Structure formats: structure tokens, C-alpha cells
């Protein structure tokens, strides 16, 4: 999203885009490894969990080896991020590099401490806020700045859409695991709200996400091609309807992927619409 917005402003850079994507992928892998490790060593992965079995808990990899993988991907994400900043900010003031390096370190820290460490913030219901901040605001505004060297606070609207749709993926995961999370003391938002209110919360996530990008497009309307992202909206409605009626983990699991792919399609359609 950040790259598409930069391209629409005529300030796109392929090296910046490529390294942004690489750094993001490394951070996502790091987050998944840390989540697997943290839930296992903190006793949150038990036989009560209904989703796919995790690598550490199932014994496919030891906690020590997973910890080494976490350290490795932390280093790789840091190296990729520094390379990105070196290229993107070579003509920017020196303090800008250090600010973004601090943001990058915060991304790594957030990826690890979601479920790992002594006080994982994911266990007290703050995972949703973290996803909104890092998958939405930091991801979109930060990557856009690396292209343009300027803050555009109006981009908070599409950034919020991206962040909320990412929260939607997490919320489906937490609704699926609500019973096992409650039993092990993992107080996710669905555990705190209960299943019925968590479904209402899911609809709020979807509807506000769709509303934010619609408002942004209305404010910056230039041609009807900018409206093609509406083609992705039925997929979000389909997701909400499925989460509303399905209760079994095996039935909910496919809609994690469906939500993620719907978000990707939304971003691609939005990007095509504003670039053309």
C-alpha cells in the first residue's frame, strides 16, 4: 500500500520497494517463529488448542533450535532493514536514519514479545493494537516515507484499512482458539468479550476498514478506475458471514487464509486504481 501510494505520487523506487517487501517478510517469519516458541514455553499450546499444531509443541523442533531461528531472523531483518534505510535515506537528514532504525528495532521487539518473554503483551489483549500500529500505520506510512521523504497524514485512512484487515486475521485466529486461550489464561480480545461480541467486533473491523479507504478515495477521487478496489469488498462480507455462523476450528481455519488473501487483493486493486 505504501509503495502504491508513492507510485501514484510519482516517487516510486524499485530498490526501496524490494527491500521493504524483503524486510517485511523477514519480520513476519520472525513473528511466526516467536509466536510458536512463546506459546510453547509459556504453556499456552496445549492439547485443548484446536488449530494446526505448532512446531515446538508438537516436538518437530526443540525450543532451543526455535530460539536460534528467532535470533537468526532478528539479525536478518535488522540487516535487511539497515540496507533499506541506507538506500532510501541517503539524501535525507542524518537524524531521519536513526529515527527509522529505532522504528525498525521496535518492529523486531514487537514481533518477539507478542507471546515470548516474561510479560507477553498478546496475553493481555494488546495484540490487536500492535497489529494495527505495525501492520497498518507503521507499515504504510513508513514505507511511503522511504519513497517520498515526506509525511502525508492523510494516508492514515488507507493505512488504517490495512491495519484493521490485518487485525481481522488475528481476530479470526483468536475466535478459533477462544476456549483453549481462556483455559490457559491467554486473555485475547475474544476471550475478554466472549464469542458473540467478538463476532460483532469482527464486523466492526471489516466495516470500518472498508469505510476508511472509501472516505480516502472520495477525498482524492480522480477517475472511476480508482474505485476498482470495491470488487474486493464482497470477499470481506463473505468472511464476516462465515465467522458469524461457523464454530468449529476446522471450519474457521480456511477463513484465516481467505481474509489474508482478500486483503492482498484489496491492496493490489487499490494500487492499480490509483496508479492508472
Amino acid at each position: 500500500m505504501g509503495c502504491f501510494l508513492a507510485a501514484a505520487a510519482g516517487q516510486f523506487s524499485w530498490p526501496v520497494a524490494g527491500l521493504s517487501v524483503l524486510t517485511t517478510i523477514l519480520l513476519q517469519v520472525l513473528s511466526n517463529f516467536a509466536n510458536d516458541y512463546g506459546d510453547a514455553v509459556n504453556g499456552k499450546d496445549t492439547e485443548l488448542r484446536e488449530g494446526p499444531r505448532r512446531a515446538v509443541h508438537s516436538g518437530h523442533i526443540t525450543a532451543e533450535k526455535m530460539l536460534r531461528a528467532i535470533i537468526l531472523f532478528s539479525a536478518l531483518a535488522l540487516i535487511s532493514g539497515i540496507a533499506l534505510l541506507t538506500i532510501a535515506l541517503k539524501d535525507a537528514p542524518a537524524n531521519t536514519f536513526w529515527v527509522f532504525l529505532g522504528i525498525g528495532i521496535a518492529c523486531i521487539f514487537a514481533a518477539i514479545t507478542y507471546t515470548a518473554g516474561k510479560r507477553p503483551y498478546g496475553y493481555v489483549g494488546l495484540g490487536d493494537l500492535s497489529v494495527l500500529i505495525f501492520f497498518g500505520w507503521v507499515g504504510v506510512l513508513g514505507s511511503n516515507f522511504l519513497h517520498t521523504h515526506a509525511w502525508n497524514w492523510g494516508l492514515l485512512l488507507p493505512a488504517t484499512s490495512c491495519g484493521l484487515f490485518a487485525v481481522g486475521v488475528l481476530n479470526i485466529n483468536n475466535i478459533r482458539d477462544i476456549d483453549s486461550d481462556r483455559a490457559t489464561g491467554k486473555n485475547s480480545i475474544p476471550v475478554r468479550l466472549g464469542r458473540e461480541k467478538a463476532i460483532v467486533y469482527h464486523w466492526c473491523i471489516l466495516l470500518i476498514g472498508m469505510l476508511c479507504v472509501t472516505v480516502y478515495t472520495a477525498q482524492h477521487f480522480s477517475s472511476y478506475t480508482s474505485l476498482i478496489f470495491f470488487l474486493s469488498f464482497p470477499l470481506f462480507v463473505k468472511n464476516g458471514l462465515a465467522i458469524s455462523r461457523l464454530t468449529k476450528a476446522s471450519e474457521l481455519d480456511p477463513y484465516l487464509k481467505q481474509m489474508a488473501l482478500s486483503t492482498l487483493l484489496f491492496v493490489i486493486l487499490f494500487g492499480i486504481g490509483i496508479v492508472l
Side-chain angles (χ1 to χ4, degrees), residues 52-163:
R53 298 194 71 187
R54 302 280 188 81
V56 175
H57 178 250
S58 64
H60 285 91
I61 186 172
T62 66
E64 291 75 18
K65 288 183 179 179
M66 184 63 85
L67 181 58
R68 288 201 291 270
I70 291 170
I71 294 170
L72 171 63
F73 274 85
S74 296
L76 290 174
L78 184 60
I79 292 169
S80 177
I82 290 174
L84 167 62
L85 299 183
T86 300
I87 291 174
L89 301 177
K90 62 180 183 295
D91 297 322
N95 63 326
T96 307
F97 176 92
W98 297 109
V99 169
F100 269 84
L101 181 60
I103 293 173
I105 292 172
C107 290
I108 293 172
F109 182 78
I112 294 173
T113 56
Y114 173 63
T115 59
K118 293 183 179 180
R119 295 184 178 180
Y121 64 86
Y123 295 169
V124 294
L126 294 177
D128 296 52
L129 178 60
S130 178
V131 166
L132 175 60
I133 291 172
F134 288 100
F135 285 71
W137 300 337
V138 170
V140 175
L141 296 179
S143 59
N144 183 262
F145 183 93
L146 294 178
H147 288 276
T148 64
H149 293 187
W151 294 110
N152 182 349
W153 296 110
L155 302 186
L156 272 172
L157 286 168
T160 299
S161 294
C162 285

Side-chain angles (χ1 to χ4, degrees), residues 49-271:
R49 189 174 183 273
E50 298 185 44
R53 298 194 71 187
R54 302 280 188 81
V56 175
H57 178 250
S58 64
H60 285 91
I61 186 172
T62 66
E64 291 75 18
K65 288 183 179 179
M66 184 63 85
L67 181 58
R68 288 201 291 270
I70 291 170
I71 294 170
L72 171 63
F73 274 85
S74 296
L76 290 174
L78 184 60
I79 292 169
S80 177
I82 290 174
L84 167 62
L85 299 183
T86 300
I87 291 174
L89 301 177
K90 62 180 183 295
D91 297 322
N95 63 326
T96 307
F97 176 92
W98 297 109
V99 169
F100 269 84
L101 181 60
I103 293 173
I105 292 172
C107 290
I108 293 172
F109 182 78
I112 294 173
T113 56
Y114 173 63
T115 59
K118 293 183 179 180
R119 295 184 178 180
Y121 64 86
Y123 295 169
V124 294
L126 294 177
D128 296 52
L129 178 60
S130 178
V131 166
L132 175 60
I133 291 172
F134 288 100
F135 285 71
W137 300 337
V138 170
V140 175
L141 296 179
S143 59
N144 183 262
F145 183 93
L146 294 178
H147 288 276
T148 64
H149 293 187
W151 294 110
N152 182 349
W153 296 110
L155 302 186
L156 272 172
L157 286 168
T160 299
S161 294
C162 285
L164 287 174
F165 293 151
V167 172
V169 177
L170 176 61
N171 192 53
I172 297 169
N173 179 84
N174 289 338
I175 290 175
R176 182 198 65 193
D177 295 341
I178 189 170
D179 294 330
S180 60
D181 285 349
R182 183 181 290 116
T184 57
K186 186 176 179 179
N187 293 314
S188 65
I189 294 295
V191 168
R192 291 178 178 274
L193 294 177
R195 183 179 292 273
E196 290 186 5
K197 290 183 179 178
I199 292 171
V200 174
Y201 171 62
H202 192 69
W203 275 109
C204 290
I205 290 168
L206 298 176
L207 294 173
I208 295 173
M210 290 187 282
L211 176 63
C212 285
V213 72
T214 301
V215 171
Y216 176 84
T217 303
Q219 292 174 341
H220 300 85
F221 181 81
S222 57
S223 70
Y224 285 103
T225 58
S226 65
L227 302 179
I228 62 172
F229 69 87
F230 280 120
L231 295 173
S232 67
F233 281 10
L235 296 174
F236 295 123
V237 174
K238 178 182 178 181
N239 186 274
L241 292 173
I243 302 308
S244 298
R245 64 181 177 83
L246 300 176
T247 57
K248 295 181 180 179
S250 59
E251 296 174 328
L252 288 172
D253 268 334
Y255 286 94
L256 282 162
K257 181 186 292 186
Q258 190 264 357
M259 183 68 198
L261 292 176
S262 298
T263 303
L264 177 60
L265 177 63
F266 154 71
V267 172
I268 291 173
L269 291 176
F270 176 85

